[in-house]
Amino acid sequence: MAEPQAERSRLCVFPDLSRPQSAADIETWCQPHRKIFGEFSSSSFGDFQTVFDQPQEYIMELTFNQAAKGVNKEFTVNIMDSCERCNGKGNEPGTKVQHCHYCGGSGMETINTGPFVMRSTCRRCGGRGSIIITPCVVCRGVGQAKQKKRVMVPVPAGVEDGQTVRMPVGKREIFITFRVQKSPVFRRDGADIHSDLFISIAQALLGGTARAQGLYETINVTIPPGTQTDQKIRMGGKGIPRINSYGYGDHYIHIKIRVPKRLTSRQQNLILSYAEDETDVEGTVNGVTLTSSGKRSTGN
């Protein structure tokens, strides 16, 4: 089960009050504080309810293939949502609520503070406009209750590690951040993928074909004669779907030449014969020396 992370918070930086503050400075500083403390317009506790109602964030683990191809993945979340017993009204089903006479049912009250007149959420009814006589036994009059829900998340093909999506759950929303595991075969670069393919010395010299693991299927790769180590072969359209565009990325196969650690007697004699005919060798080859005439001969 995914565990919720801590609610997102904002860092408030107080201004330097030692210097004169312009109207623009004060307005800039006040904006985040209005979000927290409210403007005497929502509830007797300012805008704290808005802060607590921010969507929760969850972490979803994905394999490399799940992120590349997309998947429908189910997991459990614990969220505060409208109480199912009272349907979010706060009062016990079958009971009535009392009209708030303090605010006249408007949910707002007027406060006079000298030359200023401010409207604030009614302190008596909390902005409901009515008084709950018999609170709901589940949510105790709050209208919301913690609920465990199983949700199916349609993970789009091509998501990357650390990407976050917003998803509605009931009447609430949650944030889901994807954590993508590394693949033992593929390396990712945007919509392109890279992998290694080991071939023999004979395949590198003479060419041939080899089979490589692809993202969607096994790929038959044509090896051209004279292939060099770390040479890249591009397989167009065999990569990951472009999440914000059309089409697919490419699959780049990096050639690795596998050099045998041991040779049979026949293989060694064949390689020595080949080495005698080489003309572009810098340094020496074990078993092959240069004669005084400049020709190669097999040494002991």
Side-chain angles (χ1 to χ4, degrees), residues 17 26 74 106 108 172 180 195 217 280:
L17 299 178
I26 295 174
E74 187 181 43
S106 66
M108 304 293 292
R172 302 292 302 276
V180 182
S195 65
E217 59 188 358
D280 58 350

Side-chain angles (χ1 to χ4, degrees), residues 109-130:
E109 61 175 303
T110 302
I111 302 175
N112 294 317
T113 57
F116 300 102
V117 177
M118 294 178 291
R119 287 182 59 79
S120 173
T121 302
C122 178
R123 291 168 288 180
R124 173 76 173 173
C125 65
R128 293 176 179 268
S130 58

Side-chain angles (χ1 to χ4, degrees), residues 119-193:
R119 287 182 59 79
S120 173
T121 302
C122 178
R123 291 168 288 180
R124 173 76 173 173
C125 65
R128 293 176 179 268
S130 58
I131 306 296
I132 297 176
I133 305 300
T134 309
C136 172
V137 296
V138 174
C139 66
R140 300 184 182 276
V142 178
Q144 292 188 341
K146 192 171 185 179
Q147 302 174 23
K148 180 182 292 186
K149 294 189 176 183
R150 297 287 294 178
V151 295
M152 182 67 70
V153 181
V155 180
V159 297
E160 296 191 50
D161 181 62
Q163 283 189 329
T164 302
V165 296
R166 178 181 292 179
M167 179 179 175
V169 178
K171 297 181 180 179
R172 302 292 302 276
E173 285 185 330
I174 61 173
F175 287 113
I176 301 175
T177 299
F178 300 113
R179 290 286 179 260
V180 182
Q181 302 171 4
K182 292 186 178 297
S183 169
V185 177
F186 304 110
R187 303 179 296 276
R188 181 171 180 174
D189 181 16
D192 298 329
I193 58 174

Side-chain angles (χ1 to χ4, degrees), residues 2 38 48 73 80 121 133 165 186 190 200 247 252 266 274:
F48 280 126
K73 194 165 184 178
M80 292 294 294
T121 302
I133 305 300
V165 296
F186 304 110
S200 68
Y252 290 91
R266 182 172 181 272
Y274 170 78

Side-chain angles (χ1 to χ4, degrees), residues 6-24:
E7 296 288 341
R8 298 183 173 184
S9 60
R10 300 180 61 181
L11 177 63
C12 299
V13 180
F14 289 86
D16 182 7
L17 299 178
S18 62
R19 64 178 178 84
Q21 301 294 315
S22 66

